[in-house]
Amino acid sequence: MTSILILNGPNLNLLGTRQPEVYGHVTLSDIEALCRAHGTSRGADVTFMQSNSEGILIDAIHDAKGVHDGIVLNAGAYTHTSIALMDAISSVELPVVELHLSNIHAREDFRHVSYIARVALGVICGFGAAGYPLAMDALLAHLAQQ
Ligand code: DQA
C-alpha cells in the first residue's frame, strides 16, 4: 500500500483560532480527518504529524526514507526561510508536494519566496483545507507513474 507522510509545520496546530480571516475555521484535527478519509478512499496509508520545531520536521523527513513513498509538506513559515528543510528533502530524494492553505503569492512579498518549491514536485496553494486531498492526489498520480 502506498504510504504518504503529511507533515505540518509551525503554528498550524493553532488552525481554527489562528487568523480565521486568512486560514478559515477548520482545525488541524479536521484536516487530519479529511486526509485520513481521502487516504482510505484512494487505498493509501496516511501518517499525519505537526511540529513547531524545524529540527523535528527535518528528522521526520529523514525518517520518512524507506518508510513512506512521498510527503505532502505544509512547512508554514519555514517555507520562506529554511535552507535546512530544503536540504533535508534533497537528501532523502523522496517526492514532496508543497502545500499551503492560503495563496502565498497574493500575500506579503516575503511569502513569495519558497525554498521548498526548489526541490518539490509542485506546489498547491490557496484552496484552504481542500488543498490537502489535492496534494495527496498529485503525489499519488506521480507515484503511479514511477
Ligand atoms: C502557510 C503560509 C505561510 O506563509 C505561513 O507562514 C503559514 C501557513 C499556509 O498554509 O497558508 O504558517 O503555510
Side-chain angles (χ1 to χ4, degrees):
M1 184 184 270
T2 304
S3 178
I4 300 176
L5 173 63
I6 302 177
L7 198 51
N8 295 280
N11 303 307
L12 293 167
N13 55 311
L14 299 180
L15 287 175
T17 55
R18 173 194 184 194
Q19 294 178 276
E21 70 284 4
V22 177
Y23 299 113
H25 293 281
V26 70
T27 67
L28 196 62
S29 297
D30 295 334
I31 291 174
E32 179 173 358
L34 181 67
C35 291
R36 291 198 182 285
H38 196 66
T40 301
S41 77
R42 294 289 189 268
D45 185 64
V46 169
T47 298
F48 193 94
M49 67 171 281
Q50 186 274 334
S51 177
N52 293 318
S53 157
E54 189 175 14
I56 290 174
L57 295 168
I58 291 167
D59 287 342
I61 292 168
H62 291 177
D63 293 346
K65 193 170 176 65
V67 175
H68 302 292
D69 298 295
I71 302 173
V72 172
L73 175 61
N74 184 349
Y78 290 141
T79 304
H80 318 298
T81 61
S82 181
I83 296 169
L85 271 176
M86 177 185 75
D87 284 348
I89 293 164
S90 299
S91 302
V92 298
E93 296 180 329
L94 281 171
V96 172
V97 176
E98 176 181 345
L99 168 74
H100 303 282
L101 294 150
S102 63
N103 179 355
I104 55 174
H105 301 290
R107 300 180 64 191
E108 303 95 325
D109 285 355
F110 60 82
R111 294 186 207 276
H112 301 175
V113 172
S114 169
Y115 286 101
I116 308 301
R118 300 178 72 102
V119 293
L121 281 178
V123 182
I124 293 174
C125 71
F127 297 101
Y132 280 79
L134 290 173
M136 291 169 70
D137 283 346
L139 184 58
L140 290 168
H142 170 81
L143 290 168
Q145 289 166 3
Q146 298 306 293

